[in-house]
Amino acid sequence: MERTFLAIKPDGVQRSLVGDIIRRFEVKGFTLVGLKLMNVSRELAEKHYEVHKERPFFSNLIEFITSGPVVAMVWEGDGVVASARKIIGATNPLNAEPGTIRGDFGVDVGRNLIHGSDAIETAQREINLWFEQEELVSWKPSLMSWIHE
Ligand code: IDP
Ligand code: MG
């Protein structure tokens, strides 16, 4: 079953948006299989954002993501990787459509509330980076037959 890694960034936690953000993935019909509130070490942050290490915003990004608690999550479902990216919206909240998380709650690319894996392979890498295998819970919601034909 397809899985993705999502993280509510420190701005989402500080602004009391954790419940609202989680709710969007719940009501969509995806299954939560991993969840933890954590402070992010510089080492983890740098590994997570490794592909951006040459970008001018890298040091600000690392400062920001390590500045306060983050809610790290793994969600499961058919097509969850691409669908979660749509629910999250464009990287710059000013370009994100209303109805998306970034479109509804943000105005600044450096405060865009949530991370979501950009591809199935990236998701696998990020889940392994952020979670131990035993922290993930495989379960079948009992209302599945009302969500899937
Ligand atoms: P994504 O989060 O939509 O996948 P990426 O291009 O992977 O966007 O960039 C990772 C994160 O780096 C973004 O979510 C954002 O917080 C930050 N970022 C990206 N581009 C810029 C920029 O031009 N200025 C400042 N921060 C940026
Ligand atoms: Mg990205």
PDB file of all heavy atoms in Angstrom, residues 3 31-33 76 133 136-140:
ATOM      1  N   ARG A   3       2.400   4.845   0.680  1.00  0.00           N
ATOM      2  CA  ARG A   3       2.507   5.679   1.878  1.00  0.00           C
ATOM      3  C   ARG A   3       3.245   6.976   1.557  1.00  0.00           C
ATOM      4  O   ARG A   3       4.096   6.998   0.672  1.00  0.00           O
ATOM      5  CB  ARG A   3       3.274   4.940   2.990  1.00  0.00           C
ATOM      6  CG  ARG A   3       2.476   3.812   3.608  1.00  0.00           C
ATOM      7  CD  ARG A   3       3.271   3.099   4.684  1.00  0.00           C
ATOM      8  NE  ARG A   3       2.414   2.150   5.412  1.00  0.00           N
ATOM      9  CZ  ARG A   3       2.813   1.389   6.412  1.00  0.00           C
ATOM     10  NH1 ARG A   3       4.070   1.449   6.832  1.00  0.00           N
ATOM     11  NH2 ARG A   3       1.967   0.566   7.013  1.00  0.00           N
ATOM     12  N   THR A  31      -5.374   6.911   5.547  1.00  0.00           N
ATOM     13  CA  THR A  31      -5.209   6.246   6.844  1.00  0.00           C
ATOM     14  C   THR A  31      -3.915   6.691   7.507  1.00  0.00           C
ATOM     15  O   THR A  31      -2.841   6.596   6.901  1.00  0.00           O
ATOM     16  CB  THR A  31      -5.193   4.715   6.652  1.00  0.00           C
ATOM     17  OG1 THR A  31      -6.373   4.336   5.952  1.00  0.00           O
ATOM     18  CG2 THR A  31      -5.134   3.996   7.979  1.00  0.00           C
ATOM     19  N   LEU A  32      -4.038   7.174   8.735  1.00  0.00           N
ATOM     20  CA  LEU A  32      -2.862   7.579   9.509  1.00  0.00           C
ATOM     21  C   LEU A  32      -2.162   6.331  10.044  1.00  0.00           C
ATOM     22  O   LEU A  32      -2.781   5.531  10.748  1.00  0.00           O
ATOM     23  CB  LEU A  32      -3.319   8.463  10.674  1.00  0.00           C
ATOM     24  CG  LEU A  32      -2.246   9.053  11.580  1.00  0.00           C
ATOM     25  CD1 LEU A  32      -1.304   9.984  10.824  1.00  0.00           C
ATOM     26  CD2 LEU A  32      -2.900   9.797  12.746  1.00  0.00           C
ATOM     27  N   VAL A  33      -0.879   6.161   9.746  1.00  0.00           N
ATOM     28  CA  VAL A  33      -0.163   4.975  10.239  1.00  0.00           C
ATOM     29  C   VAL A  33       1.056   5.324  11.097  1.00  0.00           C
ATOM     30  O   VAL A  33       1.666   4.446  11.708  1.00  0.00           O
ATOM     31  CB  VAL A  33       0.253   4.013   9.090  1.00  0.00           C
ATOM     32  CG1 VAL A  33      -0.976   3.452   8.382  1.00  0.00           C
ATOM     33  CG2 VAL A  33       1.189   4.679   8.090  1.00  0.00           C
ATOM     34  N   GLU A  76      -1.343   6.593   4.621  1.00  0.00           N
ATOM     35  CA  GLU A  76      -1.428   5.466   3.685  1.00  0.00           C
ATOM     36  C   GLU A  76      -2.690   5.587   2.832  1.00  0.00           C
ATOM     37  O   GLU A  76      -3.726   6.061   3.297  1.00  0.00           O
ATOM     38  CB  GLU A  76      -1.475   4.179   4.507  1.00  0.00           C
ATOM     39  CG  GLU A  76      -1.405   2.903   3.705  1.00  0.00           C
ATOM     40  CD  GLU A  76      -1.330   1.697   4.637  1.00  0.00           C
ATOM     41  OE1 GLU A  76      -0.213   1.293   4.995  1.00  0.00           O
ATOM     42  OE2 GLU A  76      -2.405   1.205   5.037  1.00  0.00           O
ATOM     43  N   GLN A 133      10.701   1.445  12.046  1.00  0.00           N
ATOM     44  CA  GLN A 133       9.665   0.535  11.549  1.00  0.00           C
ATOM     45  C   GLN A 133       8.581   0.267  12.610  1.00  0.00           C
ATOM     46  O   GLN A 133       7.390   0.253  12.306  1.00  0.00           O
ATOM     47  CB  GLN A 133      10.321  -0.785  11.095  1.00  0.00           C
ATOM     48  CG  GLN A 133       9.429  -1.660  10.235  1.00  0.00           C
ATOM     49  CD  GLN A 133       8.882  -0.932   9.007  1.00  0.00           C
ATOM     50  OE1 GLN A 133       9.602  -0.240   8.300  1.00  0.00           O
ATOM     51  NE2 GLN A 133       7.589  -1.075   8.760  1.00  0.00           N
ATOM     52  N   LEU A 136       5.425   2.532  13.151  1.00  0.00           N
ATOM     53  CA  LEU A 136       4.356   2.553  12.160  1.00  0.00           C
ATOM     54  C   LEU A 136       3.349   1.454  12.476  1.00  0.00           C
ATOM     55  O   LEU A 136       3.719   0.334  12.835  1.00  0.00           O
ATOM     56  CB  LEU A 136       4.934   2.371  10.754  1.00  0.00           C
ATOM     57  CG  LEU A 136       5.960   3.442  10.351  1.00  0.00           C
ATOM     58  CD1 LEU A 136       6.531   3.142   8.972  1.00  0.00           C
ATOM     59  CD2 LEU A 136       5.352   4.839  10.404  1.00  0.00           C
ATOM     60  N   VAL A 137       2.080   1.814  12.372  1.00  0.00           N
ATOM     61  CA  VAL A 137       0.996   0.905  12.758  1.00  0.00           C
ATOM     62  C   VAL A 137       0.179   0.541  11.524  1.00  0.00           C
ATOM     63  O   VAL A 137      -0.439   1.411  10.907  1.00  0.00           O
ATOM     64  CB  VAL A 137       0.078   1.584  13.806  1.00  0.00           C
ATOM     65  CG1 VAL A 137      -1.065   0.656  14.190  1.00  0.00           C
ATOM     66  CG2 VAL A 137       0.877   2.007  15.024  1.00  0.00           C
ATOM     67  N   SER A 138       0.170  -0.730  11.160  1.00  0.00           N
ATOM     68  CA  SER A 138      -0.676  -1.172  10.045  1.00  0.00           C
ATOM     69  C   SER A 138      -2.047  -1.538  10.576  1.00  0.00           C
ATOM     70  O   SER A 138      -2.155  -2.351  11.489  1.00  0.00           O
ATOM     71  CB  SER A 138      -0.058  -2.401   9.355  1.00  0.00           C
ATOM     72  OG  SER A 138       1.124  -2.017   8.707  1.00  0.00           O
ATOM     73  N   TRP A 139      -3.067  -0.933  10.046  1.00  0.00           N
ATOM     74  CA  TRP A 139      -4.438  -1.221  10.511  1.00  0.00           C
ATOM     75  C   TRP A 139      -5.412  -0.899   9.398  1.00  0.00           C
ATOM     76  O   TRP A 139      -5.108  -0.141   8.488  1.00  0.00           O
ATOM     77  CB  TRP A 139      -4.768  -0.414  11.765  1.00  0.00           C
ATOM     78  CG  TRP A 139      -4.784   1.076  11.585  1.00  0.00           C
ATOM     79  CD1 TRP A 139      -3.707   1.874  11.325  1.00  0.00           C
ATOM     80  CD2 TRP A 139      -5.924   1.947  11.636  1.00  0.00           C
ATOM     81  NE1 TRP A 139      -4.107   3.195  11.225  1.00  0.00           N
ATOM     82  CE2 TRP A 139      -5.459   3.272  11.405  1.00  0.00           C
ATOM     83  CE3 TRP A 139      -7.282   1.744  11.870  1.00  0.00           C
ATOM     84  CZ2 TRP A 139      -6.318   4.385  11.391  1.00  0.00           C
ATOM     85  CZ3 TRP A 139      -8.128   2.861  11.858  1.00  0.00           C
ATOM     86  CH2 TRP A 139      -7.655   4.151  11.632  1.00  0.00           C
ATOM     87  N   LYS A 140      -6.575  -1.509   9.473  1.00  0.00           N
ATOM     88  CA  LYS A 140      -7.619  -1.261   8.474  1.00  0.00           C
ATOM     89  C   LYS A 140      -8.804  -0.568   9.137  1.00  0.00           C
ATOM     90  O   LYS A 140      -9.479  -1.172   9.964  1.00  0.00           O
ATOM     91  CB  LYS A 140      -8.098  -2.592   7.859  1.00  0.00           C
ATOM     92  CG  LYS A 140      -7.139  -3.166   6.830  1.00  0.00           C
ATOM     93  CD  LYS A 140      -7.336  -2.513   5.463  1.00  0.00           C
ATOM     94  CE  LYS A 140      -6.089  -2.629   4.588  1.00  0.00           C
ATOM     95  NZ  LYS A 140      -5.019  -1.646   4.931  1.00  0.00           N
TER      96      LYS A 140
END
